[in-house]
Amino acid sequence: MSATSAAPRGQTLAFPDGFVWGAATAAYQVEGAVKEDGRGPSIWDTFCRTPGAIADGHTGDTACDHYHRYADDVRLMDRLDLSVYRFSVSWSRVQPDGHGRVNPAGLDFYERLVDELLEAGVAPYAALYHWDLPQALEDRGGWTDRDTAYRFADYAKIVQDRLGDRVRTWMTVNEPWVSATLGYGIGVHAPGRTSWADAFRASHHLLLAHGLGVQVLRGGGAHEVTISVNLAPVLTPGQVNDPSLEPSPEDADAVDRVDALINRQFLDPVLRGEYPERVLPIIERVAGLGHIRDGDLADIGRPIDLLGVNYYTPCVVRSGPGEPANPAYPGTEGIEFTGAYAPTTATGWPIVPTGLSQLLLRLTRDYPGVGLLVTENGAAFDDAVTGERVHDADRTAFLESHLRAAHEAIEAGADLRGYLVWSLMDNFEWAEGYSKRFGLLHVDFDTQRRLLKDSALWYREVIRHNGLRSERTRRPTLEEVAARAGVSRSTVSRVINGQATVSPEFRQTVMDAVDELGYVPNSAARSLVTQRTDTIGLVVPGTPDGADDPLFAAVVRAAGHALEASGKQVTLMLGGTLDSRRRAERLVVAGHLDGIVIASAAGAHPLLSTLARTGVPIVSLGRPSAPVTVPYVAADDTGGAKAAVAHLLAQGRRRVAMISGPLESTAAQDRLAAYREALRAAGRRSMIAMGDLTRSSGARAMRELLRDDPGLDAVFAAGDLMAVGALSALHEAGRSVPGDVAVVGFDDIEAASYTIPPLTTVHAPLDDQARAAVRLLLRQLDGGPVSSIILPTELIVRGSA
């Protein structure tokens, strides 16, 4: 398999000649029929019976019933013009005990599937292991037992002996990191073990199984052999949007250590025949090295034709002195896993398409000579069926942006040979059960009916043109549907929401326009019906210690005025108590509010999580914590904090402390992280005391800092009220400001210019944030596209520093 370089053709971003287009599934996720025709139990059959292991108690017993419906599914693949279908073989369907006796009926099924694919002109790519180890082998030790790797080689020969004359491309093991880490290390996947020693042993034996499988497949005449590895570029937060950004030495060390664990631990043995030096001491400390025997790495490193790349999201880290090891990454003490600040999928994974291009170029550079194949890339979103259509524009946008990233990588020299979407159809999504939909095909799990989603129809056009249009796909608006149908926007909304007040004639006209334009009725459009109350809820924190909360004032004043000016009524709610949060939830559920502006930055996260599940349009004033995914407006907390600390350091201050806000607030987290990063870059030690955004807590924290380090000469407070408290504590202690101690705050509340001396602070445009939040909410209510907004900050230098 080979590909030539890509070249634009007319208005199309063309992919190389011979580029393969396909989709992927896995046996346990789609087949069902777990007790039919002699199939034995796998570890996932057992794990699904563990109380609380799977969302809603779901199992893969039926899944998509692909075992019985494979012929219909292949016809759908043919309709999509797929050139490749990557499926996995169920080991326990072929060998119920994982060794010894072969089940002819299991092999017969895969032979029928392969023949059906070939008849339809779809190339079968067979993956031999996608996490469903026979339970009988787990009972003998599973992947912690070296013998399992040899049993895998026997199984690989059995399957190839039956299918090798028709299957040209073979995949040995899928995502060994997931199998080992999630299954044996932290227990959220089958078999549910929680031992890091077991995880490292399992990881090595999975790689050994791959190597032994390569030997068997080569001996049987396999045309192409590969392994699929889940990979993620490891970046600092700043590199997510600026890959060229040079990290600090401490951050670079954190990136290198994590990269060794999640990427090079698998890439180096397979492609170089060695473990990275960075990871061996971690393995030795946790599990010893006795399971790595002479000759293993030579077996693991047998040449392969392709490297399967599964990419979903990057891994974002930075140095974090004092941080405990991440539970999923042993050996990461002193490293902070921050996540990427980006829109997310329904699984909460940040969407960063540039991570794919970075990854492909890195692989081509660091591991030359092996072709690349994207064996999984896709996203879960909350799809809704409208009539006979699934308008999943978010998925189309996801796939398009990642294909553009792949094309850019090819243009820059990446040896990418093909792209497979995860997944062909909605399926049993492991521990998430059936709650997360990744498919190009929508599956009704009650009736097993399949529908081609809009993303599938879009993907078919990409395949037919072997490329993308130069211009990005634009989502049609509610107004465009109304104009095409010749009706009002409210009529479109009534039809979308199933209102009975629209005549059949106009209903059909609207649906024809919806289908023609591919309009996606999002949650905002679905709420735009005639029962609107024109009432918006403003949820703000309660005022702490009776003090005036600047966030409270900004939301009430600026957001309230903006809403009233747009003709909306305003219901003000405090989010600081359980009773008040329950009242807000009751109002939303009862349909009394069209939308919500919620000030989450000061700790209203429980309400935000609750209301986000109701489907009511919400805008958060302040970046919410994961996994809540709603549009938000926030200030540049990171940049503002860096400017504050840089100002103090530029004045020659050598012992700069910080009074941090409550860490459940994402703004406080960002300001604290920026303070730490600025001091590390300057070679200075961090000194931190905690406050709760009140004057009194700022005074207490200042006294604590003076007690611990009487010689400190500057303090940065993450909120102006805490800075005001710090000033009072310094005056009480007889310290002059700024002579002895300089003070900088954050927010630029009205009182900042009236303190003694006037407070130097970071101006966070609270009024502008509130007004922008209202604009975002109104746009949602009108059915328009929305995206989060980060407003710039400015350092205001006054007398305190």
Side-chain angles (χ1 to χ4, degrees):
M1 177 182 184
S2 62
T4 58
S5 62
R9 300 187 187 119
Q11 297 302 308
T12 301
L13 297 178
F15 281 77
D17 294 334
F19 196 83
V20 299
W21 300 96
T25 65
Y28 190 77
Q29 294 182 267
V30 299
E31 285 181 1
V34 298
K35 296 181 180 179
E36 293 188 37
D37 296 338
R39 178 188 179 275
S42 77
I43 56 175
W44 274 95
D45 295 293
T46 303
F47 191 64
C48 286
R49 267 70 186 176
T50 303
I54 310 297
D56 300 318
H58 292 159
T59 73
D61 288 1
T62 303
C64 305
D65 197 29
H66 182 62
Y67 187 78
H68 298 112
R69 301 169 186 268
Y70 71 91
D72 291 337
D73 290 337
V74 172
R75 281 192 283 274
L76 289 170
M77 298 178 213
D78 189 27
R79 283 183 59 189
L80 292 178
D81 287 349
L82 298 186
S83 56
V84 165
Y85 173 49
R86 191 206 100 186
F87 62 95
S88 80
V89 177
S90 167
W91 190 344
S92 59
R93 198 178 292 284
V94 172
Q95 281 186 298
D97 296 323
H99 63 96
R101 179 176 62 90
V102 175
N103 177 32
L107 286 172
D108 289 346
F109 165 68
Y110 293 108
E111 187 168 54
R112 293 194 301 271
L113 172 61
V114 167
D115 288 347
E116 196 78 29
L117 289 166
L118 293 173
E119 180 69 22
V122 180
Y125 280 23
L128 290 169
Y129 186 73
H130 198 128
W131 309 352
D132 50 350
L133 185 72
Q135 182 62 43
L137 289 183
E138 176 61 25
D139 294 341
R140 295 168 54 170
W143 286 111
T144 64
D145 183 357
R146 182 180 181 85
D147 186 62
T148 301
Y150 293 92
R151 302 291 71 76
F152 173 83
D154 295 340
Y155 151 68
K157 185 175 189 310
I158 291 166
V159 178
Q160 192 195 33
D161 283 348
R162 175 65 78 91
L163 303 178
D165 60 331
R166 283 155 288 180
V167 174
R168 292 170 53 84
T169 301
W170 294 86
M171 300 177 182
T172 55
V173 174
N174 182 76
E175 297 186 350
W177 181 89
V178 175
S179 278
T181 300
L182 303 190
Y184 290 84
I186 60 177
V188 297
H189 276 194
R193 296 202 218 175
T194 54
S195 163
W196 269 109
D198 285 352
F200 278 125
R201 294 186 190 107
S203 176
H204 179 73
H205 294 148
L206 282 157
L207 290 176
L208 180 60
H210 156 74
L212 296 174
V214 170
Q215 183 179 13
V216 166
L217 294 167
R218 288 272 187 240
H223 177 73
E224 288 180 328
V225 182
T226 181
I227 182 175
S228 292
V229 188
N230 58 295
L231 300 172
V234 184
L235 311 169
T236 64
Q239 289 176 318
V240 172
N241 294 315
D242 183 5
S244 65
L245 187 68
E246 191 71 25
S248 68
E250 295 83 3
D251 284 349
D253 181 76
V255 165
D256 182 71
R257 198 184 339 158
V258 174
D259 181 73
L261 283 165
I262 66 173
N263 293 324
R264 302 200 309 274
Q265 182 184 178
F266 303 94
L267 292 171
D268 284 8
V270 169
L271 299 175
R272 293 177 176 168
E274 62 186 18
Y275 275 111
E277 292 183 5
R278 195 70 195 267
V279 82
L280 278 174
I282 298 173
I283 297 175
E284 184 174 23
R285 172 165 58 87
V286 174
L289 298 177
H291 58 286
I292 304 175
R293 300 186 185 177
D294 290 345
D296 282 2
L297 287 165
D299 282 331
I300 295 169
R302 294 178 185 276
I304 58 176
D305 305 286
L306 295 167
L307 177 69
V309 178
N310 294 358
Y311 172 74
Y312 291 97
T313 193
C315 181
V316 184
V317 302
R318 60 187 168 202
S319 175
E323 290 283 337
N326 186 304
Y329 304 93
T332 57
E333 294 84 0
I335 296 177
E336 183 183 0
F337 287 72
T338 68
Y341 300 156
T344 60
T345 66
T347 52
W349 299 343
I351 301 171
V352 185
T354 54
L356 178 58
S357 53
Q358 294 174 53
L359 182 60
L360 295 173
L361 288 170
R362 178 260 180 103
L363 292 169
T364 298
R365 181 188 69 243
D366 292 354
Y367 304 94
V370 61
L372 304 177
L373 175 68
V374 173
T375 41
E376 287 186 23
N377 179 239
F381 292 103
D382 296 326
D383 301 328
V385 178
T386 304
E388 295 294 306
R389 298 288 295 274
V390 179
H391 299 296
D392 58 334
D394 288 331
R395 182 172 293 103
T396 299
F398 179 98
L399 296 176
E400 180 177 14
S401 61
H402 283 77
L403 282 173
R404 287 180 182 276
H407 186 273
E408 290 174 6
I410 293 171
E411 290 287 280
D415 186 12
L416 181 64
R417 313 282 183 82
Y419 178 89
L420 313 182
V421 173
W422 184 269
S423 171
L424 173 67
M425 66 185 86
D426 297 336
N427 54 42
F428 175 80
E429 194 53 47
W430 307 114
E432 299 287 353
Y434 296 101
S435 64
K436 298 293 182 283
R437 294 180 176 270
F438 280 83
L440 294 171
L441 307 179
H442 181 277
V443 178
D444 182 324
F445 294 107
D446 292 326
T447 65
Q448 291 298 335
R449 184 189 186 205
R450 275 76 155 147
L451 282 177
L452 295 178
K453 300 179 186 178
D454 283 1
S455 60
L457 302 175
W458 173 88
Y459 189 47
R460 180 174 65 188
E461 292 306 304
V462 172
I463 295 171
R464 288 176 175 176
H465 292 92
N466 195 38
L468 300 160
R469 296 190 179 191
S470 299
E471 299 80 18
R472 290 183 181 271
T473 304
R474 188 180 66 83
R475 299 175 66 157
T477 66
L478 192 73
E479 289 77 7
E480 288 173 324
V481 175
R484 179 64 58 90
V487 300
S488 70
R489 190 178 62 185
S490 62
T491 298
V492 175
S493 298
R494 292 189 188 97
V495 172
I496 289 171
N497 285 277
Q499 299 296 299
T501 56
V502 181
S503 70
E505 178 186 358
F506 281 111
R507 182 182 303 280
Q508 187 59 51
T509 300
V510 169
M511 290 312 300
D512 288 345
V514 166
D515 287 343
E516 182 180 352
L517 295 174
Y519 175 70
V520 182
N522 58 22
S523 60
R526 284 190 286 270
S527 71
L528 202 131
V529 294
T530 54
Q531 288 93 340
R532 272 193 178 176
T533 64
D534 282 330
T535 301
I536 304 298
L538 283 182
V539 182
V540 294
T543 53
D545 290 355
D548 291 333
D549 184 343
L551 190 59
F552 177 101
V555 173
V556 173
R557 180 180 62 247
H561 289 171
L563 286 167
E564 289 174 354
S566 66
K568 305 296 181 185
Q569 300 180 57
V570 181
T571 295
L572 181 65
M573 296 172 285
L574 300 181
T577 68
L578 179 60
D579 286 343
S580 63
R581 290 196 292 269
R582 285 175 175 168
R583 174 176 175 263
E585 185 178 358
R586 286 195 299 270
L587 287 171
V588 171
V589 172
H592 297 315
L593 300 175
D594 293 337
I596 294 282
V597 173
I598 180 168
S600 69
H605 300 94
L607 182 59
L608 185 61
S609 301
T610 299
L611 296 183
R613 293 191 290 269
T614 67
V616 69
I618 300 175
V619 171
S620 170
L621 203 159
R623 182 172 63 85
S625 58
V628 180
T629 55
V630 300
Y632 64 86
V633 177
D636 183 5
D637 296 296
T638 299
K642 285 183 177 179
V645 178
H647 174 71
L648 293 170
L649 293 173
Q651 288 188 321
R653 306 288 174 169
R654 302 184 60 81
R655 303 169 80 166
V656 182
M658 180 178 181
I659 301 174
S660 175
L663 293 184
E664 64 269 20
S665 159
T666 54
Q669 294 170 18
D670 292 345
R671 295 172 192 182
L672 175 59
Y675 160 79
R676 284 174 164 164
E677 185 175 342
L679 285 193
R680 281 197 302 271
R684 307 290 170 80
R685 180 173 62 91
S686 299
M687 294 176 284
I688 300 163
M690 302 304 297
D692 61 11
L693 301 179
T694 64
R695 292 186 180 92
S696 58
S697 73
R700 286 194 302 271
M702 190 70 251
R703 296 185 194 104
E704 176 187 329
L705 289 169
L706 290 173
R707 183 174 63 250
D708 292 344
D709 186 354
L712 71 83
D713 59 6
V715 63
F716 165 52
D720 281 350
L721 290 177
M722 294 188 299
V724 172
L727 287 174
S728 65
L730 288 168
H731 292 323
E732 292 170 5
R735 303 294 181 92
S736 68
V737 179
D740 296 328
V741 181
V743 178
V744 177
F746 203 114
D747 286 330
D748 194 24
I749 63 175
E750 188 174 353
S753 59
Y754 299 106
T755 60
I756 300 176
L759 182 65
T760 292
T761 185
V762 176
H763 177 66
L766 295 176
D767 287 2
D768 290 345
Q769 290 178 66
R771 285 189 286 268
V774 168
R775 290 195 297 273
L776 271 186
L777 183 66
L778 295 177
R779 196 176 306 155
Q780 278 198 79
L781 293 173
D782 286 340
V786 296
S787 59
S788 297
I789 298 171
I790 296 180
L791 298 176
T793 56
E794 178 186 5
L795 182 68
I796 306 297
V797 178
R798 300 191 180 102
S800 68

